[in-house]
């Protein structure tokens, strides 16, 4: 996974936090999404990512994979955006493991 090298400290912290969630599935889905998009996020979107990262891995993995719907109290535009991207075929597959 390629992480932009010329990003500010806040963005670097968010990428690190997203890539080191504790479960491989969450690392790939959440970390992959954040790493791919971090350079283009606005300050408001960075705030939204920080809020998403406060949720438990098991909940995020279920919501992002579509195993469970996002509950109203956790719903946000960023979480829906992540779920849309992570719900596509091949999301969460380690780089180089595609067939």
């Amino acid at each position: 996974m390629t992480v932009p090298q010329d990003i500010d400290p806040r963005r670097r912290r968010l990428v690190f936090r997203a890539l080191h969630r504790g479960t491989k599935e969450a690392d790939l889905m959440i970390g992959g999404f954040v790493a791919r998009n971090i350079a283009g996020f606005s300050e408001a979107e960075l705030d939204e990512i920080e809020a998403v990262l406060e949720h438990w891995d098991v909940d995020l993995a279920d919501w992002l994979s579509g195993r469970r719907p996002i509950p109203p109290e956790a719903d946000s535009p960023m979480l829906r955006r992540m779920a849309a991207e992570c719900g596509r075929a091949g999301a969460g597959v380690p780089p180089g493991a595609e067939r």
Side-chain angles (χ1 to χ4, degrees), residues 13-63:
R13 280 192 301 274
L14 286 170
V15 170
F16 182 86
R17 190 171 166 203
L19 287 169
H20 296 87
R21 298 293 300 173
T23 65
K24 191 65 171 174
E25 181 181 33
D27 291 351
L28 291 170
M29 285 193 306
I30 300 162
F33 174 84
V34 173
R36 283 188 301 276
N37 295 289
I38 195 73
F41 285 153
S42 67
E43 290 298 316
E45 288 171 320
L46 294 177
D47 293 341
E48 290 181 50
I49 284 293
E50 287 175 334
V52 167
L53 295 179
E54 291 300 317
H55 295 288
W56 292 94
D57 281 0
V58 67
D59 292 331
L60 285 172
D62 283 353
W63 301 335

